[in-house]
Amino acid sequence: MLVIENLVKIFEGEKARRSRQDGGDGESRKTKEIRAVDDVSFEVKEREMFTLLGPSGCGKTTTLRSIAGLERPDSGEIRVSDRVLFSMGKGRKVHMPTNQRQLGMVFQSYAIWPHMKVFDNVAFPLQVVPRKSRASKEVIRERVMAILETMELTEMATRQATKLSGGQQQRLALARAMVTEPELILLDEPLSNLDAKLRESLRFELKRFQRELGITSVYVTHDQVEALALSSRIAVMKDGKIMQVGRPRDIYEKPANQFVAEFIGTSNFISGTASNREGEFLLVDTDAGQLRVTVETSLPVGAPIILAVRPEGISMSAEAPTGTEPNEWSGEVITRSFLGDSVDHIVRVGEHELRVRAPSAVSIAPGTAVALRVDPANLSVIPG
Ligand SMILES: Nc1ncnc2c1ncn2[C@@H]1O[C@H](COP(=O)(O)OP(=O)(O)OP(=O)(O)O)[C@@H](O)[C@H]1O
Ligand SMILES: [Mg+2]
């Protein structure tokens, strides 16, 4: 439904004036241009959560802003269903203004309207449509309250938007982008201001919400665990180019090149199968024992999954494991490396070698037996 073809966006470099004293001609010269988006093509299917993933500066935001109409690319084409949003160098010249593109957007710097209450922020996009097609007051109220509930903002409906925390403002921006149920929604790191726990739960909410409403979305993140957990498909970007497009499992199991392998590989991955639920937890059988995970999605028993945990998401101590706590492993330190503000340890747990990041005061010698613990909230589920 969204088609991007051979998109190129070049930013001119800084202007550097060569002075006459230095033998220059006094004219201003442009330094090296930046090919922020360098011949990018991809297609997003209806109802997909398509993610652009890559390190800082690789061109994710520029690609998204081009789709939104906030950047004017140098060449290429952007189409949504049968509408041409942008075309240059393909025999036609189209640059549709942002407000005609009918897209929902949440950007890195979430812009909420500070002079409005929370309710009015969300209701506004529904209120500005022409009278003929506008919903009734009651319907608008219903839709706004439903979405505020999903975003856990019901109690704050009458509060001034500026009197929210960063995370609450981010959820407000999400609610506002989704309330009109646009056919395509663009999300640029919409969860970046949330703490780990809230991010985890909102991730699943977002996915459920997107599925229920049948919204197609393009999601931008530099966080590979988030991308793996959330996406239908991922495009891994580097220096303005797409390195690989594939389903999360393909990207993880069959990286197309070393860059993709290394970029995806900075977390610990443990494969297993879904077992029963225990209250708020899902139990997962792995070859490193049974683990508890906090997820709201229900997975059939036996479904293959991959659990991801970041090096800093595991805590470590040189005591013997209690043997009674959940999510506890015993292991042995193999190597360690000092990183200044932290110390990375490679710890062998059965067949696995896990990377564990400890505060700089904690440095445990190779050969030492250790106990590792993982908070269920730090385990992300990547469905098979
Ligand atoms: N307005 C601009 N003028 C000049 N260069 C720009 C401009 N906007 C972005 N760039 C450059 O284009 C490249 C891509 O930037 P972009 O913002 O798309 O990266 P990103 O992948 O979103 O990174 P991040 O994860 O840090 O948000 C970078 O090298 C950036 O410095
Ligand atoms: Mg960006």
Side-chain angles (χ1 to χ4, degrees):
M1 71 93 69
L2 168 68
V3 178
I4 309 275
E5 276 175 359
N6 307 107
L7 198 69
V8 175
K9 172 67 191 174
I10 298 167
F11 289 112
E12 303 291 350
E14 298 280 297
K15 280 191 178 142
R17 192 177 284 274
R18 296 188 359 150
S19 75
R20 289 207 166 85
Q21 281 102 311
D22 298 339
D25 47 16
E27 295 286 294
S28 68
R29 289 276 161 81
K30 281 169 187 158
T31 56
K32 234 181 94 199
E33 57 183 33
I34 300 161
R35 300 181 76 86
V37 181
D38 194 1
D39 197 15
V40 160
S41 303
F42 60 86
E43 190 174 342
V44 181
K45 299 189 195 90
E46 197 116 347
R47 293 166 177 262
E48 259 192 324
M49 179 80 119
F50 189 88
T51 298
L52 301 175
L53 171 69
S56 184
C58 72
K60 306 178 296 290
T61 296
T62 308
T63 304
L64 213 62
R65 285 174 56 85
S66 301
I67 301 170
L70 299 168
E71 297 286 356
R72 184 190 278 266
D74 293 83
S75 60
E77 191 161 287
I78 303 171
R79 301 191 298 271
V80 170
S81 304
D82 50 1
R83 298 185 297 143
V84 178
L85 306 188
F86 174 83
S87 187
M88 182 71 91
K90 295 214 169 200
R92 48 184 168 188
K93 271 192 184 171
V94 180
H95 183 65
M96 191 188 275
T98 297
N99 58 6
Q100 288 173 19
R101 295 192 181 197
Q102 297 167 26
L103 308 172
M105 292 176 229
V106 179
F107 280 108
Q108 239 166 343
S109 52
Y110 44 90
I112 48 152
W113 290 301
H115 58 285
M116 285 185 195
K117 300 229 161 79
V118 167
F119 180 92
D120 301 313
N121 256 279
V122 180
F124 187 76
L126 300 174
Q127 288 161 344
V128 293
V129 298
R131 193 175 290 276
K132 264 195 297 179
S133 44
R134 194 185 310 159
S136 70
K137 248 190 162 142
E138 295 76 54
V139 171
I140 291 181
R141 163 160 284 276
E142 244 166 55
R143 278 170 70 179
V144 171
M145 291 315 286
I147 210 148
L148 287 180
E149 197 182 334
T150 310
M151 295 296 160
E152 294 175 30
L153 290 170
T154 309
E155 272 102 86
M156 289 147 203
T158 56
R159 202 185 282 182
Q160 203 68 28
T162 44
K163 293 187 180 149
L164 297 177
S165 73
Q168 289 162 345
Q169 291 187 20
Q170 208 150 37
R171 282 182 278 151
L172 175 56
L174 272 172
R176 198 184 54 192
M178 285 187 158
V179 78
T180 56
E181 300 180 15
E183 57 174 339
L184 180 65
I185 186 164
L186 308 175
L187 302 158
D188 193 349
E189 314 239 4
L191 308 181
S192 59
N193 289 318
L194 306 175
D195 63 60
K197 231 182 178 125
L198 196 54
R199 190 158 61 223
E200 179 75 16
S201 77
L202 252 180
R203 224 185 251 169
F204 281 97
E205 282 295 312
L206 197 60
K207 199 170 177 173
R208 184 174 62 86
F209 209 66
Q210 192 239 359
R211 205 176 287 154
E212 278 174 6
L213 295 179
I215 298 176
T216 308
S217 52
V218 183
Y219 191 92
V220 161
T221 181
H222 62 269
D223 180 330
Q224 86 279 28
V225 166
E226 185 155 294
L228 292 169
L230 205 57
S231 318
S232 323
R233 284 187 308 141
I234 299 171
V236 182
M237 290 184 75
K238 182 195 177 202
D239 299 338
K241 294 191 175 68
I242 291 185
M243 298 284 110
Q244 184 172 7
V245 179
R247 293 181 307 132
R249 188 176 275 267
D250 296 335
I251 300 271
Y252 165 70
E253 287 178 349
K254 289 171 239 138
N257 54 41
Q258 192 172 355
F259 173 81
V260 176
E262 282 173 6
F263 190 71
I264 297 292
T266 51
S267 279
N268 297 294
F269 297 99
I270 300 159
S271 51
T273 52
S275 184
N276 297 312
R277 290 198 71 94
E278 193 182 275
E280 58 172 319
F281 302 114
L282 171 73
L283 301 177
V284 179
D285 294 323
T286 77
D287 52 9
Q290 194 175 56
L291 297 173
R292 288 179 177 199
V293 189
T294 38
V295 286
E296 282 152 29
T297 42
S298 53
L299 288 160
V301 172
I305 48 185
I306 294 170
L307 297 176
V309 57
R310 299 187 170 288
E312 60 273 23
I314 304 177
S315 64
M316 177 173 58
S317 61
E319 306 146 15
T322 60
T324 54
E325 276 188 57
N327 290 14
E328 188 183 63
W329 292 307
S330 51
E332 183 190 322
V333 174
I334 303 173
T335 56
R336 61 179 163 179
S337 61
F338 181 65
L339 301 175
D341 58 348
S342 59
V343 185
D344 264 12
H345 296 74
I346 305 293
V347 180
R348 181 179 295 127
V349 175
E351 299 281 285
H352 294 273
E353 289 190 0
L354 304 179
R355 184 180 288 267
V356 179
R357 188 158 296 166
S360 64
V362 181
S363 182
I364 301 176
T368 311
V370 290
L372 302 182
R373 287 182 196 94
V374 192
D375 187 319
N378 291 338
L379 283 164
S380 298
V381 174
I382 300 158

